[in-house]
């Protein structure tokens, strides 16, 4: 099942070329008051929501897919966990260009560990990227994103995929430079998620998905998740050995080679086979 958030925070069921408004399925979510439980309520209750969506599908109003405003499919993650330099060829291109990639950030992922992006950086494809500090190099990074489905605390890689609710595409937008990753990658709009969530049952094995990113139609990144240094189960094991992953938490798995700058006026097209394709506009903040 493919679920999106569109227009006025409506829940959408994505079919071939229409999105059906299944917002009424959100009625199955428990009401909550402050302090809200950690995690994303939709993801925490995904099975119940999916059942209701299936029941109401026939009566749900269809919208042409290309007519809606797509927001990020996850509303309230507690953290965005991200993998630095998790493809060997990206490590090589970073080593080869020390002017762009500060030396202290170019190490093997097993040594660097993981980093966090601020959840306030999350936007959807229709929101677009709003660049800051345009005198510096602002790069695109396409990444496969796993969305965690339930609490994961010290999970082994063998059972890790049981904790995944689904997958989406992520753009880990980045200002190059010497500062900590959490600063350079947490600018508002520097975490694009979309176009929708594909539930995990549609992608039983996330290790053979091709990714492609174009800027203004020109291919910049083209790779396959089979070349991840630490794969999705390994990343879940690694992350959950340090902290508990909550429902809705976003796991960005790292970008392959071919990263490069974007400028106001550009359009990024990001595609992962089996997940979808999204167009993201770039402007100045
Ligand atoms: Mn990245």
């Amino acid at each position: 099942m493919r679920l999106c958030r569109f227009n006025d925070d409506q829940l959408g069921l994505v079919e071939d070329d229409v999105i059906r408004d299944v917002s009424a399925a959100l009625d199955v979510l428990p009401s909550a008051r402050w302090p809200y439980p950690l995690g994303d309520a939709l993801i925490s209750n995904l099975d119940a929501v999916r059942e209701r969506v299936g029941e109401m599908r026939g009566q749900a109003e269809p919208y042409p897919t290309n007519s809606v405003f797509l927001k990020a499919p996850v509303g309230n993650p507690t953290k965005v966990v991200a993998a630095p330099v998790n493809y060997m060829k990206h490590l090589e291109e970073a080593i080869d260009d020390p002017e762009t990639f500060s030396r202290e950030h170019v190490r093997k992922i097993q040594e660097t560990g993981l980093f966090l992006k601020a959840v306030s950086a999350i936007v959807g494809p229709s929101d677009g990227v709003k660049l800051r500090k345009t005198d510096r190099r602002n790069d695109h990074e396409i990444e496969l994103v796993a969305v965690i489905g339930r609490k994961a605390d010290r999970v082994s890689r063998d059972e890790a995929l049981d904790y995944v609710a689904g997958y989406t595409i992520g753009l880990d937008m980045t200002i190059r430079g010497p500062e900590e990753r959490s600063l350079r990658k947490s600018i508002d709009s520097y975490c694009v998620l979309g176009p929708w969530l594909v539930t995990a049952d549609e992608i039983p094995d996330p290790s053979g998905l091709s990714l492609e990113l174009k800027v203004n139609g020109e291919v910049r990144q083209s790779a396959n998740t089979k070349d991840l240094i630490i794969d999705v189960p390994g990343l879940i094991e690694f992350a959950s050995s340090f902290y508990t992953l909550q429902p809705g938490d976003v796991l960005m798995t790292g970008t392959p080679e071919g990263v490069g700058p974007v400028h106001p006026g550009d359009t990024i097209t990001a595609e992962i086979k089996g997940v979808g394709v999204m167009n993201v506009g770039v402007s100045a903040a």
Side-chain angles (χ1 to χ4, degrees), residues 29 37-45 73-78 149 246-249:
L29 300 186
L38 281 179
D40 184 278
L42 171 62
I43 301 296
S44 296
N45 297 277
V74 185
N76 301 103
T78 71
Q246 301 288 341
D249 278 3

Side-chain angles (χ1 to χ4, degrees), residues 176-252:
R176 298 295 169 202
E179 303 95 334
E180 293 283 346
R181 283 187 173 85
S182 63
L183 183 71
R184 294 182 287 109
K185 292 169 171 274
S186 286
I187 295 168
D188 296 356
S189 81
Y190 277 42
C191 181
V192 185
L193 300 178
W196 38 68
L197 179 80
V198 179
T199 53
D201 53 293
E202 290 197 18
I203 303 178
D205 178 9
S207 69
L209 306 177
S210 58
L211 316 81
E212 184 178 81
L213 181 141
K214 298 178 191 167
V215 177
N216 304 329
E218 175 201 340
V219 177
R220 295 273 190 89
Q221 295 184 274
S222 182
N224 191 290
T225 58
K226 71 177 165 46
D227 293 320
L228 282 166
I229 296 171
I230 301 181
D231 61 8
V232 174
L235 289 169
I236 292 170
E237 180 179 72
F238 191 2
S240 73
S241 75
F242 282 88
Y243 36 59
T244 301
L245 299 169
Q246 301 288 341
D249 278 3
V250 170
L251 174 61
M252 306 193 75

